[in-house]
């Protein structure tokens, strides 16, 4: 693995954490959406991360016995899943989406836990930016040898 | 041994190789901080450096291993942000040290070459 490979790993994490933040903000934005195109209230979504093998170019660069090393794994968003938790029901008879008994199904989104998740994504993003900065400085230092 | 390549330079080059590799392992750990089931990897630095120094012409091929004794989260992930952050800074400084030593070694040789001009 070279230093550019290290940057590639951290960059994959930046992308994944950004998608996570996007999904969380979409949950927050739709915290009160009682109508969706699929019918029913909005359902909370969650990302599932999976470790990813390095790209072809990276494997080629470290060809030979090192190519199969287990540690050089970036991360990717494997899927975005719906949270199966039941909708929150509130008694609002005047609401247009209320059922016959006057109850409205609201999305199963808890703004507090979403905010915590958003902070987690932001912190993880920052940490990976630090890793990229470290790699950049190391490359810069290597160039210094030539001077 | 060539005239301008000292044994120390060769050793330092291997040291930088192993350090850069370790930094990559740390970056992978940080990247997977939220991946369910991911286990923290690391290399045994001393052992891998010894290996690299004993075979100076072979490519550096450390074997990363899972780190034991870390607290596991309910999703099976055991990446500790403090550990990785510290290791990231530490490895970066190791690398900087290696570069500084290598530069001073090159400067010494350059000085020897320039000596007759003084």
């Amino acid at each position: 693995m070279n230093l550019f490979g290290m940057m590639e790993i951290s960059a994959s994490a930046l992308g994944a954490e950004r998608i996570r933040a996007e999904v969380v903000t979409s949950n927050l934005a739709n915290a009160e959406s009682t109508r969706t195109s699929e019918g029913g209230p909005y359902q909370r979504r969650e990302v599932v991360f999976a470790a990813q093998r390095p790209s072809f170019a990276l494997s080629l660069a470290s060809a030979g016995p090192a190519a199969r090393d287990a540690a050089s794994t970036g991360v990717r968003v494997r899927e975005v899943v719906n949270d199966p938790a039941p909708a929150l029901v509130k008694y609002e008879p005047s609401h247009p989406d209320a059922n016959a008994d006057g109850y409205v199904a609201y999305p199963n989104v808890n703004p507090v836990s979403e905010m915590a998740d958003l902070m987690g994504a932001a912190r993880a993003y920052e940490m990976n930016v630090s890793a990229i900065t470290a790699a950049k400085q190391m490359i810069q230092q290597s160039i210094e040898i030539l001077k | 041994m060539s005239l301008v390549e000292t044994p120390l330079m060769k050793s330092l080059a291997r040291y930088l190789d192993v350090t850069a590799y370790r930094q990559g392992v740390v970056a992978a750990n940080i990247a997977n901080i939220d991946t369910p089931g991911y286990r923290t990897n690391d290399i045994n630095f001393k052992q891998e450096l010894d290996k690299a120094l004993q075979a100076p012409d072979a490519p550096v091929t450390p074997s990363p291993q899972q780190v034991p004794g870390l607290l596991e989260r309910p999703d099976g992930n055991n990446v500790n942000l403090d550990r990785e952050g510290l290791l990231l800074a530490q490895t970066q400084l190791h690398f900087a040290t290696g570069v500084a030593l290598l530069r001073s070694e090159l400067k010494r040789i350059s000085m020897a070459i320039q000596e007759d001009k003084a």
Side-chain angles (χ1 to χ4, degrees):
Chain A
M1 187 186 330
N2 57 33
L3 287 167
F4 290 101
M6 179 187 156
M7 281 172 100
E8 200 174 307
I9 288 169
S10 299
S12 75
L14 290 188
E17 295 294 345
R18 186 183 288 275
I19 292 174
R20 177 177 166 201
E22 274 172 22
V23 169
V24 170
T25 44
S26 132
N27 284 342
L28 279 170
N30 286 292
E32 307 279 327
S33 303
T34 51
R35 281 179 210 177
T36 55
S37 50
E38 301 96 55
Y42 173 86
Q43 256 198 319
R44 178 174 174 270
R45 293 197 180 102
E46 246 179 327
V47 291
V48 180
F49 285 173
Q52 178 194 35
R53 302 301 307 153
S55 72
F56 175 72
L58 191 56
S59 311
L60 198 65
S62 60
R68 47 156 184 76
D69 70 59
S72 51
T73 44
V75 67
R76 69 190 163 90
V77 174
R78 198 178 64 196
E79 55 184 336
V80 179
V81 293
N82 281 347
D83 184 349
L88 304 169
V89 281
K90 286 182 196 166
Y91 183 66
E92 275 175 27
S94 58
H95 197 287
D97 289 326
N99 63 11
D101 300 324
Y103 286 97
V104 184
Y106 275 97
N108 51 355
V109 175
N110 179 355
V112 178
S113 75
E114 295 302 322
M115 284 312 292
D117 203 15
L118 189 60
M119 276 166 70
R123 291 288 172 271
Y125 193 91
E126 269 174 41
M127 194 65 201
N128 281 292
V129 170
S130 307
I132 289 180
T133 311
K136 260 169 63 183
Q137 280 175 2
M138 283 165 83
I139 292 168
Q140 210 84 60
Q141 282 161 353
S142 306
I143 296 169
E144 288 288 304
I145 301 176
L146 299 174
K147 289 181 183 166
Chain B
M1 190 179 72
S2 85
L3 205 57
V4 290
E5 198 179 357
T6 64
L8 178 62
M9 275 164 72
K10 268 197 167 169
S11 305
L12 282 171
R14 302 305 270 176
Y15 173 77
L16 289 181
D17 281 344
V18 177
T19 312
Y21 187 91
R22 189 181 207 185
Q23 194 74 315
V25 175
V26 174
N29 286 339
I30 294 174
N32 284 289
I33 190 136
D34 288 309
T35 307
Y38 181 87
R39 316 292 292 190
T40 305
N41 281 309
D42 199 2
I43 60 169
N44 184 333
F45 193 85
K46 191 181 180 311
Q47 204 177 309
E48 298 297 346
L49 185 60
D50 280 347
K51 206 168 80 183
L53 289 175
Q54 270 158 24
D57 295 318
V60 179
T61 53
S63 39
Q65 276 151 2
Q66 291 187 1
V67 181
L70 290 174
L71 190 67
E72 187 183 320
R73 297 207 302 263
D75 64 357
N77 184 310
N78 70 353
V79 178
N80 181 336
L81 198 54
D82 297 329
R83 179 190 182 276
E84 303 308 323
L86 188 71
L87 216 51
L88 188 76
Q90 233 173 28
T91 314
Q92 202 185 346
L93 288 173
H94 282 161
F95 191 87
T97 313
V99 169
L101 287 171
L102 197 52
R103 288 193 74 185
S104 79
E105 184 71 359
L106 286 165
K107 207 177 271 173
R108 238 195 312 279
I109 290 167
S110 158
M111 242 158 82
I113 295 169
Q114 311 261 313
E115 196 58 21
D116 67 320
K117 293 176 188 163

